[in-house]
Amino acid sequence: MAKSWRVRDFLKGLFDCISYITVFWWWRLVQRVTKKTDKQLLFENLHNARVYEEWEAAAIHLDCVLDNNFWRAAPASRAYDHRLISARTRQFEEALFHEDVLTMVHSLRSGLVRNLGNITAPKLYNRAYSGTKYLIEDYVSQVGAAVRRVTSAPTGHAHKLSSQQKLDVLHDARLALGRSCLVLQGGSIFGLCHVGVVKALHLRGLLPRIIAGTATGALMAALVCVHKDDELLERLSGEGIDLSAFAASSERAADANHGGGGRQHVRRWFSTLRRRAQRFFQYGYVLDVKVLEECVRANVGNKTFEEAYKHTKRVLNITVSATGGGVPTLLNYLTAPNVLIWSAALVSNASDARYSPTTLQCKKTDGSIVPWDIPMKSSVKPTKRYGRTPSTDHDRDTPLSRAAELFNVNHFIISQARPYIAPFLAPSLHHSSSPRSSREPWGTYFMRLLIMELQHRLTQMDMLGWLSPSLRRLLLDESVPGASWTLVPQVSWRDFARLLRNPTREEIDYWILRGERSVWPALSALRIRCAVEVEIDRGYQLVRRRKPFDMEPPAPEQSVTLAGDGQRKRKTRAASMGAE
């Protein structure tokens, strides 16, 4: 009897021991599987950051964990010509160290290219999160320092530069490098992401002076281009945008549909969906045009394109849809100086300007406002096109091509927020070390491939002349006549429910944050592309304002050395003065 008890106790103890060990290791396995690693926590901080400084700190820490700092420190790479960039960097460093202004001038005039040695290749920016090769960043910093040194260099007989020579140098450098244009494409509530894009670029000093907009992007571009730099930041928030028109509209709708319970709420929801869908298919936008007009006029006022340019020195471009020939029209202070900005922004929201309920308005010399006397519909019937190729005059007359011709634009930053395309688009930047959970899902990936195939077939149909102008504008992306960088906000399917809401301050702040997050990963690439351009433009404007006060003629020997054919340059600058 005692022996049986001992056996039973032994078996019970053995069972308890095995159970304890099994439960212990099972719990350790569950913890190991479910517990987030330091790398995963950093990716979450990167994804959930609310300000750029928080995002930057997480990106620097993440690069240290992933050993990306070693990659950034090693200058050699097959993606770019590191020997050329290293030699140019040493050249600028020596000139800055010895205060050799003439060498800086010659270096700026020769080889000042945005993509020198292929330094703007996207492959150089999808490895590390906090930046690219240190050599490339150092090169851009040295070029910017050289531009600032040439700008601040003293002028006169006792010095090596005159004001005219300095102006010629900066003008030629700006002409050779080209200019950037921010393109805001998007419709409906998703277009509010453009405010966040502008805010992120403005805070980092990378906001281009040339801005183009279509649909809701035109409204956002108009809001930006009527305010100076010191006025802009307070306008780029939910508190800074006047939404009284939408608030009044929501109150009227609530008073008209007071009561009714849950069934009445569902009926109102379907009624709103039907009205907005009808407006979208008829005019190309979903919001009430009267409310939209009140909102735009409250934020923009009755300024014309020319008045906005003189006030802010920003070049606003608004695309107005197809005229009789089916070619979109680009409105700016050169092509339509007296047109009111708010009317152009509203007409841009329509898929075809001929059927828009709003007409373009212009301001006469006496201040009165009258309809624009340019007919939107041509009396000549357009001929049917067969076998049209991208090299025809039609494709060269696109709005972006027109902007490139007028303002020497060779680089485009495209903010894409169209609600029916944005979920399937991928930005220009893809970090190769991102975990699958932080990248796009497989379903979205294959859906994006399907959308790309569909767009390819639509492009073929357009080449055969089978698409109407309104469908072409709605479904096809415009070809970009130059280098470009695409920004796409991260949009989920739940965001589509916001299409049926009137914008509120909370909604605007939500979309502004989405827009800012789409810019933060690309800031290192945009800094390499645009930092030198910003420095040259700032220096040119500064020297241009100071020049009338420096009337001392240059020394003859320096005039021959630096000016050369100065008369020809002055004529070239005078001819291009209208586009500045």
Side-chain angles (χ1 to χ4, degrees), residues 393-460:
D393 293 337
H394 173 80
D395 292 291
R396 287 199 299 265
D397 201 21
T398 58
L400 296 185
S401 300
R402 184 64 173 154
E405 294 173 357
L406 291 174
F407 306 109
N408 190 34
V409 175
N410 60 0
H411 178 244
F412 296 86
I413 304 173
I414 302 175
S415 176
Q416 182 60 263
R418 284 185 285 183
Y420 48 89
I421 292 182
F424 312 109
L425 289 179
S428 297
L429 186 66
H430 281 291
H431 283 105
S432 56
S433 57
S434 298
R436 171 55 57 182
S437 59
S438 64
R439 294 188 235 170
E440 57 182 348
W442 285 109
T444 305
Y445 175 77
F446 287 112
M447 184 63 71
R448 186 163 60 85
L449 291 179
L450 179 62
I451 294 296
M452 292 172 61
E453 177 65 21
L454 179 60
Q455 286 187 329
H456 174 65
R457 300 305 176 189
L458 289 173
T459 302
Q460 292 178 328

Side-chain angles (χ1 to χ4, degrees), residues 383-389 394 454 456-473 475-476:
T383 58
K384 192 173 182 179
R385 298 170 286 113
Y386 293 97
R388 182 174 61 83
T389 61
H394 173 80
L454 179 60
H456 174 65
R457 300 305 176 189
L458 289 173
T459 302
Q460 292 178 328
M461 294 173 61
D462 182 46
M463 293 176 65
L464 295 174
W466 293 353
L467 289 182
S468 64
S470 57
L471 285 177
R472 186 190 311 122
R473 183 188 186 227
L475 300 176
L476 293 180

Side-chain angles (χ1 to χ4, degrees), residues 118-138:
N118 203 32
I119 61 175
T120 63
K123 188 177 181 180
L124 293 168
Y125 304 92
N126 64 1
R127 176 73 178 267
Y129 289 85
S130 57
T132 183
K133 296 284 188 179
Y134 290 129
L135 175 60
I136 298 177
E137 295 179 351
D138 190 26

Side-chain angles (χ1 to χ4, degrees), residues 61 165 255 549:
H61 194 179
Q165 291 168 345
D255 293 339
F549 300 98

